Amino acid sequence: MFLIIGYVIILAASLGTYSVHGSLAALWVPMEYLAIVGLFVGGFVASNNIKVIKAVVGALPGIFKGSPYNKAYYMDVLALLFELLSKVRKEGLMSIENDVENPEASPIFSKYPDILHDHHVTEFVTDYLRMMVGGNLNTLEIEALMDQELENHHHEGELPAHVVSKVGDGLPAFGIVVAVMGVVNVMGSVGEPPAVLGKMIGGALVGTFLGILLSYGFVQPVASLLEQRGHDGGQVFKVIKAVLLASMSGYAPQVAVEFGRKNLPSDARPTFLELEEDLKSRKGK
């Protein structure tokens, strides 16, 4: 929503102020637009493999939606972990074996459909609970493995933003390329009247205008939003890591989820009492 609002402001500030003393018709040079878009798409395709292209295309729709990683989502994550760890504390590690091996059929996981539908989060939780059930790794080994996985996840999460930003950085140069092509065309028409030459030169300069406007006004904001979304998506894994490691260190479930709560961003972090009341209210359901 804010991306669209920002685009409207950018267009109003650039085209709106120009229209006060100039003709918008002078900016309508279809071949310049086609060349810029073609160079942008070509540069994007040429510099990335199919895996990265799919990752970028798959990430783009998410920037037009609100972030799913809000307080309610994190409360669900903490409540899920609390239920699983409480079951372990009461009935032993083997009691969650079925929950871990088949989360879709688990009565605990089924209470949290938003988490269950996020297969990355579900796999992260079940994989490390499975290791805990196996009992072959200590806390330090689990933590090192988690750190490695989080590093890989962070790299994959920031890739779409990095790619879009890099291609966006090339748009001003593509604009210059298009402008130079227009100037070359003008040089071949030096015998034309000044009014015709002026129109041709103006059309050539539209390429530079487009390259700069599209880069900093349209593409870079998308890259920034992708970066923010990638950061938000990585935070939930840090919360899960803190809770599970605290549990492995011997802390009670109520204390372990507090470790997770402290890892939440301030805008999505419930207070201690909010979390406590939420966990109590879920027990009665």
Side-chain angles (χ1 to χ4, degrees), residues 96-170:
I96 62 169
E97 186 174 11
N98 291 333
D99 298 295
V100 170
E101 296 299 335
N102 190 8
E104 289 78 12
S106 166
I108 295 179
F109 276 95
S110 61
K111 296 180 183 178
Y112 307 96
D114 289 341
I115 299 172
L116 193 58
H117 293 158
D118 190 332
H119 68 275
H120 290 298
V121 172
T122 301
E123 285 180 5
F124 190 82
V125 172
T126 54
D127 283 350
Y128 287 102
L129 285 175
R130 188 178 294 112
M131 292 181 188
M132 291 169 62
V133 171
N136 296 323
L137 296 175
N138 60 40
T139 305
L140 292 178
E141 291 171 326
I142 292 287
E143 183 175 12
L145 191 58
M146 284 181 171
D147 288 339
Q148 184 61 53
E149 183 170 354
L150 290 180
E151 183 179 344
N152 293 337
H153 183 274
H154 176 71
H155 174 71
E156 292 177 358
E158 69 179 5
L159 199 56
H162 175 73
V163 167
V164 172
S165 178
K166 202 167 185 65
V167 178
D169 286 340

Side-chain angles (χ1 to χ4, degrees), residues 24-268:
L24 288 176
L27 298 178
W28 180 241
V29 189
M31 297 309 296
E32 302 281 328
Y33 288 78
L34 182 62
I36 283 285
V37 173
L39 288 168
F40 173 78
V41 174
F44 170 68
V45 172
S47 58
N48 298 289
N49 57 40
I50 188 64
K51 177 183 175 181
V52 175
I53 292 173
K54 286 182 177 179
V56 173
V57 173
L60 287 176
I63 65 176
F64 296 99
K65 306 173 184 176
S67 174
Y69 305 105
N70 50 31
K71 182 185 287 189
Y73 179 85
Y74 284 120
M75 293 277 270
D76 280 349
V77 171
L78 294 176
L80 168 65
L81 294 173
F82 178 78
E83 283 200 52
L84 290 168
L85 296 178
S86 295
K87 186 175 180 180
V88 168
R89 197 169 184 85
K90 293 176 182 177
E91 305 174 26
L93 274 170
M94 296 305 296
S95 66
I96 62 169
E97 186 174 11
N98 291 333
D99 298 295
V100 170
E101 296 299 335
N102 190 8
E104 289 78 12
S106 166
I108 295 179
F109 276 95
S110 61
K111 296 180 183 178
Y112 307 96
D114 289 341
I115 299 172
L116 193 58
H117 293 158
D118 190 332
H119 68 275
H120 290 298
V121 172
T122 301
E123 285 180 5
F124 190 82
V125 172
T126 54
D127 283 350
Y128 287 102
L129 285 175
R130 188 178 294 112
M131 292 181 188
M132 291 169 62
V133 171
N136 296 323
L137 296 175
N138 60 40
T139 305
L140 292 178
E141 291 171 326
I142 292 287
E143 183 175 12
L145 191 58
M146 284 181 171
D147 288 339
Q148 184 61 53
E149 183 170 354
L150 290 180
E151 183 179 344
N152 293 337
H153 183 274
H154 176 71
H155 174 71
E156 292 177 358
E158 69 179 5
L159 199 56
H162 175 73
V163 167
V164 172
S165 178
K166 202 167 185 65
V167 178
D169 286 340
L171 271 172
F174 288 150
I176 293 173
V177 170
V178 173
V180 170
M181 291 166 61
V183 171
V184 170
N185 187 40
V186 172
M187 292 297 100
S189 306
V190 291
E192 297 290 339
V196 174
L197 289 176
K199 184 177 181 180
M200 294 177 68
I201 293 172
L205 292 176
V206 169
T208 304
F209 159 75
L210 281 176
I212 297 174
L213 178 64
L214 291 176
S215 175
Y216 298 109
F218 288 83
V219 177
Q220 292 300 341
V222 170
S224 178
L225 286 174
L226 288 173
E227 183 179 11
Q228 294 170 30
R229 182 56 62 88
H231 180 269
D232 289 345
Q235 191 65 39
V236 63
F237 296 99
K238 295 180 181 179
V239 173
I240 296 169
K241 170 191 170 183
V243 174
L244 294 182
L245 290 179
S247 177
M248 290 187 68
S249 298
Y251 290 99
Q254 183 68 55
V255 179
V257 295
E258 183 64 15
F259 277 75
R261 187 184 74 83
K262 286 296 186 180
N263 274 272
L264 289 173
S266 58
D267 61 322

